[in-house]
Every structure is written in C-alpha cells, then in structure tokens.
Amino acid sequence: MLSRDEAIDSARRFLGAAFPEGEFTIVVRSELTREHPVAWVVRFDSQEHIDTGNVALAPFVRVVVVPKDDSGPHFPPTHQPLGEYLGELARDACTTGA
C-alpha cells in the first residue's frame, strides 16, 4: 500500500516529466493531498497562478491521481468529475481484485 509521502513523491516525479522546466513553476500543494480508497489525490498549481491569481497562468489540470496499487500517477480525465472517476477506479479495483 502506498503511503501519503510516497504518493506525493510519485506525483512530484510525474509532474517533473509532465511539465518541462520553463513552462510553469510547479508547486505541489501537499497540504491538500487527500486519501481515497484506491488512490491518493495530490493537488498542485503553478507559482505564477498562486502569485497573480491569473488563471491563464495555471495548468489546465491541477490534480494528479496516484493509485495505491502502484499502477502509476496520472491526470484524471477532464470530461468527468473527479469523484465519479475515483468511483470508477474503485469499481475496477473490486472487479480485478487489485
């Protein structure tokens, strides 16, 4: 099982690869990290957005889902609410026995 700190570290590595240096200054909001039955949800933002409040300076998606089964961090789909997506992950885990 993945701990909170391991999930945050995994999200940081994922974000480092997803946002090459120069595009945004990524800030992981570890205090906003939440545990769900099958995954950790790690929130992040850009320092530029935090400093100015200008949403044009924020990443389009500002959350990383880190499954507890070590299947790898990823951005959730943008077309559905996060809670609905996490519910799908939980149902999938039940049906696959993960």
Side-chain angles (χ1 to χ4, degrees):
M1 210 43 88
L2 199 63
S3 74
R4 178 182 183 276
D5 289 340
E6 290 169 329
I8 291 169
D9 289 343
S10 182
R12 279 195 170 110
R13 287 189 302 276
F14 174 77
L15 290 167
F19 294 101
E21 204 170 307
E23 186 174 357
F24 292 110
T25 306
I26 296 299
V27 176
V28 173
R29 308 289 306 268
S30 56
E31 73 279 8
L32 300 177
T33 297
R34 298 291 178 260
E35 184 174 17
H36 295 270
V38 296
W40 289 92
V41 173
V42 180
R43 298 202 180 268
F44 69 97
D45 206 337
S46 72
Q47 188 64 55
E48 296 79 6
H49 177 239
I50 294 168
D51 290 346
T52 66
N54 183 346
V55 74
L57 299 175
F60 184 68
V61 176
R62 289 180 274 166
V63 64
V64 175
V65 174
V66 184
K68 292 179 180 178
D69 67 0
D70 278 334
S71 60
H74 58 275
F75 296 121
T78 58
H79 69 278
Q80 74 186 131
L82 181 59
E84 185 179 301
Y85 177 65
L86 291 170
E88 285 182 10
L89 287 181
R91 282 189 299 278
D92 289 349
C94 286
T95 59
T96 61

